[in-house]
Amino acid sequence: MRARTHTEIYRPFRGAISASAARASTLAWSGVRVGFKRKLPMLFLFAIPLIATIVGAFQIQLKFDALSKELSFITADDADVQAKMANQFVANGLAELLGSVEQIILTTLGTLQFFVVLAMGWYGTGLIAEDKRLRAHLLYFARPITRWTYLRGKLGTVLFWGSCVVVGPVTVMCGTAVFASPEWSFLTDRWQLILKLEGYALLWVVVHALLVLAVSSVCRLRNQALAGLFGIYFLMSIAGELLAWLFDSANWRLLSLVRNFERLSEALFGIASGEVTWGLEASLWALAAFCGLCLVVLDAQIKKMELGR
Amino acid sequence: MKSSHAPTADGGTVPAAPGRPSSPAPSIVRLRGLVKSYGDVQALRGVDMDLPPGPVGLLGPNGAGKTTLISLLLGLLEPTAGEASVAGLTPTTRKSRVEIRKRVGYMPESDCLLPGMTAVELVSTLARLTGLGKQDAMTRAHEVLDYVELEEARYRPLDGYSTGMKQRLKLAQALVHDPDLLLLDEPTNGLDPKGRRHMLGLVEDLGRNQGKNVLLCSHLLPDVERTCDHVVVIVEGRAVLQGSIAELTAAEATRLRVQTDERDGDLWRALEERGYRCETPDEEPAMGPTQRGFLATLPDGRSDADEICAIAAQIDAPLLQIEPVRRSLEQVFLTAVDGRGEDQR
């Protein structure tokens, strides 16, 4: 027998309903919270990026420590002479050191950016597909939210997971370099590189997040969406390579997301693969067109969902 | 039963709110000639409707336009033509249609609950999406979960919820912002008798005791009959009938159920010779093995049953009972759906 309590009565709401601008973040955070409950995938997907980040940050710290130790061996009776010797040593060695630190960060970024696709695919492909399958969007669109709020909410969730894998590690390693470098030299000398790294990582995450959500919005099952995501991702690359070979024109590689980001990294960090021959503008246009296409698909699908279909 | 007819957009007439008091309470939903088309297909063909405050049942066969009507009431769709007012708001602009959703709570028919979340998380998140502050959303989530008696399961993942718990949770999320109008789409779908009784008890309490305006969309007419005071029947995109259930199912003075003990049909024949129209009832009421019953419609609109007694006495037919026939909501619904209208009543 179950006892009834005094709480089982209907209580009218006396508070206020406001037009909060943070509705998208509420939706995004709710998706993140559900994601945190899947602990085993989290371990598999984030263990490697975490280890890579720790190792990278440790390497950076060690390099700057080594520089400090070498500086401590410079001895002279006169303090001015010692300072001059140190400055000269720093001038010679620091540039080389900062270059090698930059290389560590770029290598880590290059490794991690593919984990982004895995992490965002795992956590993001179900976001809209599952809503459609369970018709959970009926609950969302029965609230005073717009399609744009819904999209921003879902995008926020995917961006969070993507950022955890690539933007977070880049920030941690850049932060380590800034704090470990003598007299903030990494910040003062390479601030442009920090901005470029963060911008590149963010762009990578945003473009892939849009792809993940667009694929999720046209599927009714998470597994379908996951397969579709990797299918599209690899098919675009394969199609680009195949058409480039067939028509003997490297420009067909513009179809590949990876190649466009390669071109971008070449322009930003000077890492040339030798296989991208087109201009930076072409890659930027290709990425913009790709994002536009994803947004068109998302708009059409979310519009259908809003109408309860 | 008195019934007035209101013109519709296509020139037809709709039996409108029969027997309403002369100064009715303001309508929570007011629709005038509402049309909604999807290309060439007209889902709603000029709906005129005044939903009085309190619990109202929305009935209609599949494909009648109920879902489209609910979407319009939620402000999800823009009407093609006509006027609408929901909870005092007119959904003419996109902004006003979004605003309506602050005043309306919706309990969908489908499962629509995301696995991995707990009841508190779901309800508080939806409350925040409606515009409640963080504290209010959490407090309110606990209050409504207590109300629907999910207080002990509030921190359990939704994956393990029974159908009854899911239905109550959906009701809780619809109530969380204390809306002016509750749209309940098949709330007793898939429930066992106990769960159904519980859900109907909640709907009844909300509509009758808490003063909530409820629009209950259901195919289960006994559910509507139990919880609602008024009913609207939609057929092929038109509101073909609306009014209070008490009046729509009221006993008719000219139609009587006659129960007799004679087996030869003498009374039947005697009544028909005097102008009565006799028929066998569709649903035979529980009667004893020797008892017989039929329905007799008095001729010329007369409403006096004394003549039947006199005729029975004349032919020495053992008369057991004469009672006015009360129509069931199912009969009202079927009559409205079949389009036979008033003439058969």
Side-chain angles (χ1 to χ4, degrees):
Chain A
M1 189 176 161
R2 191 172 173 287
R4 290 184 69 83
T5 68
H6 68 285
T7 58
E8 290 152 356
I9 53 164
Y10 185 75
R11 291 157 192 265
F13 176 53
R14 306 281 181 211
I17 294 176
S18 60
S20 165
R23 286 192 179 117
S25 61
T26 302
L27 197 56
W29 180 240
S30 124
V32 170
R33 210 162 39 187
V34 171
F36 269 118
K37 291 179 182 173
R38 296 177 186 164
K39 293 188 177 63
L40 197 62
M42 194 179 284
L43 181 73
F44 286 122
L45 291 167
F46 293 100
I48 293 173
L50 184 67
I51 292 166
T53 308
I54 292 169
V55 170
F58 195 62
Q59 276 182 312
I60 292 165
Q61 178 71 42
L62 281 180
K63 284 200 180 281
F64 283 115
D65 274 355
L67 180 73
S68 308
K69 277 177 191 164
E70 284 174 29
L71 275 172
S72 66
F73 286 121
I74 299 169
T75 52
D77 294 337
D78 189 349
D80 286 345
V81 174
Q82 188 178 355
K84 276 181 188 169
M85 285 171 72
N87 283 343
Q88 195 174 2
F89 180 81
V90 167
N92 293 339
L94 191 60
E96 193 185 329
L97 179 62
L98 292 181
S100 69
V101 167
E102 180 184 326
Q103 204 54 47
I104 292 171
I105 298 174
L106 286 173
T107 310
T108 315
L109 175 65
T111 314
L112 292 184
Q113 60 190 15
F114 292 101
F115 278 92
V116 176
V117 186
L118 284 177
M120 290 201 299
W122 184 264
Y123 285 105
T125 45
L127 284 177
I128 300 181
E130 286 287 293
D131 278 3
K132 281 172 81 172
R133 184 175 69 83
L134 299 162
R135 298 183 67 72
H137 57 277
L138 294 176
L139 296 183
Y140 295 131
F141 287 116
R143 313 280 150 187
I145 63 167
T146 59
R147 295 196 298 270
W148 177 234
T149 310
Y150 179 80
L151 176 60
R152 279 188 299 146
K154 296 293 174 184
L155 196 62
T157 306
V158 190
L159 288 179
F160 174 83
W161 295 115
S163 301
C164 283
V165 180
V166 71
V167 181
V170 166
T171 309
V172 168
M173 283 190 290
C174 287
T176 309
V178 167
F179 286 107
S181 59
E183 295 179 350
W184 309 92
S185 52
F186 192 78
L187 183 66
T188 52
D189 280 24
R190 304 291 168 113
W191 63 270
Q192 285 174 323
L193 175 76
I194 297 173
L195 289 181
K196 283 178 189 174
L197 280 167
E198 296 289 357
Y200 178 82
L202 212 58
L203 186 68
W204 178 276
V205 172
V206 169
V207 172
H208 286 82
L210 285 172
L211 172 65
V212 166
L213 288 182
V215 173
S216 180
S217 72
V218 293
C219 296
R220 279 206 170 264
L221 291 173
R222 185 176 161 275
N223 290 345
Q224 278 177 5
L226 199 58
L229 171 71
F230 290 112
I232 289 175
Y233 198 71
F234 291 117
L235 274 177
M236 282 165 66
S237 296
I238 292 167
E241 294 297 328
L242 199 68
L243 290 167
W245 177 72
L246 275 175
F247 297 102
D248 198 23
S249 166
N251 288 353
W252 284 103
R253 292 196 177 107
L254 276 166
L255 284 175
S256 163
L257 267 186
V258 181
R259 292 294 188 191
N260 285 308
F261 273 99
E262 246 177 53
R263 180 69 190 85
L264 200 59
S265 73
E266 189 179 317
L268 290 174
F269 314 118
I271 308 166
S273 66
E275 291 182 12
V276 284
T277 53
W278 56 87
L280 177 65
E281 291 78 13
S283 274
L284 290 176
W285 277 112
L287 289 175
F290 182 79
C291 291
L293 184 67
C294 289
L295 284 172
V296 168
V297 171
L298 280 165
D299 184 55
Q301 293 298 323
I302 295 174
K303 197 172 188 175
K304 276 188 197 169
M305 290 165 74
E306 189 188 25
L307 299 179
R309 282 182 242 165
Chain B
M1 187 186 77
K2 289 175 185 175
S3 173
S4 60
H5 288 244
T8 59
D10 59 351
T13 59
V14 171
R20 289 246 172 89
S22 53
S23 56
S27 306
I28 189 75
V29 173
R30 187 173 179 275
L31 309 178
R32 287 289 174 269
L34 200 73
V35 177
K36 179 64 197 174
S37 304
Y38 299 103
D40 295 337
V41 181
Q42 271 200 329
L44 296 178
R45 305 174 182 194
V47 174
D48 291 294
M49 189 187 283
D50 283 292
L51 292 191
V56 179
L58 179 66
L59 305 174
N62 293 332
K66 298 192 295 289
T67 308
T68 304
L69 183 64
I70 286 179
S71 298
L72 279 162
L73 295 180
L74 270 172
L76 295 174
L77 292 176
E78 189 182 357
T80 310
E83 291 173 21
S85 159
V86 182
L89 293 168
T90 314
T92 44
T93 61
R94 180 160 183 82
K95 195 177 173 187
S96 63
R97 289 202 302 278
V98 171
E99 197 66 20
I100 281 176
R101 295 180 220 162
K102 286 183 185 170
R103 310 267 189 96
V104 179
Y106 176 47
M107 176 184 173
E109 181 186 1
S110 50
D111 228 10
C112 65
L113 302 175
L114 283 173
M117 290 183 115
T118 65
V120 170
E121 282 171 358
L122 180 82
V123 178
S124 60
T125 299
L126 292 171
R128 293 216 68 200
L129 286 179
T130 312
L132 273 71
K134 200 173 179 180
Q135 284 284 338
D136 280 345
M138 194 48 84
T139 308
R140 192 70 192 147
H142 285 285
E143 281 177 4
V144 289
L145 287 170
D146 280 341
Y147 176 67
V148 300
E149 297 184 24
L150 282 175
E151 64 271 42
E152 287 167 13
R154 69 184 90 175
Y155 293 112
R156 269 171 48 190
L158 305 182
D159 316 39
Y161 273 32
S162 67
T163 309
M165 291 163 86
K166 284 179 183 172
Q167 292 294 86
R168 278 183 280 145
L169 176 56
K170 286 195 290 179
L171 178 63
Q173 63 78 30
L175 277 173
V176 72
H177 55 295
D178 197 19
D180 294 339
L181 173 65
L182 261 179
L183 302 175
L184 308 181
D185 199 353
E186 305 282 357
T188 53
N189 227 5
L191 296 184
D192 60 22
K194 192 181 167 201
R196 179 168 164 261
R197 199 172 58 190
H198 191 175
M199 176 57 75
L200 289 177
L202 289 169
V203 175
E204 199 173 6
D205 180 54
L206 286 167
R208 298 230 162 96
N209 304 329
Q210 310 301 336
K212 286 269 151 223
N213 303 307
V214 179
L215 185 64
L216 173 68
C217 185
S218 178
H219 284 111
L220 300 171
L221 300 180
D223 290 2
V224 175
E225 209 158 8
R226 176 179 158 181
T227 52
C228 298
D229 298 333
H230 288 74
V231 71
V232 178
V233 181
I234 293 190
V235 180
E236 291 175 356
R238 291 188 182 90
V240 294
L241 191 70
Q242 49 187 305
S244 90
I245 293 178
E247 286 168 352
L248 289 171
T249 60
E252 295 169 86
T254 60
R255 206 151 178 255
L256 302 168
R257 182 187 300 279
V258 180
Q259 284 187 29
T260 172
D261 208 4
E262 59 102 20
R263 289 166 170 240
D264 301 330
D266 292 341
L267 183 58
W268 178 302
R269 278 192 295 278
L271 287 174
E272 283 199 320
E273 280 166 13
R274 284 164 178 81
Y276 286 80
R277 188 155 59 86
C278 298
E279 56 188 309
T280 314
D282 293 338
E283 291 170 25
E284 194 73 16
M287 284 188 285
T290 59
Q291 291 172 356
R292 292 287 179 272
F294 58 86
L295 302 178
T297 306
L298 277 68
D300 310 326
R302 274 183 280 160
S303 59
D304 186 6
D306 289 348
E307 195 184 13
I308 296 177
C309 297
I311 295 166
Q314 263 180 21
I315 62 168
D316 205 18
L319 197 59
L320 297 176
Q321 191 180 23
I322 301 175
E323 60 175 351
V325 174
R326 192 175 181 87
R327 284 158 43 103
S328 68
L329 188 58
E330 187 178 343
Q331 284 172 317
V332 173
F333 173 70
L334 289 174
T335 307
V337 170
D338 291 347
R340 284 178 282 179
E342 299 289 300
D343 56 339
Q344 286 221 349
R345 298 167 55 192

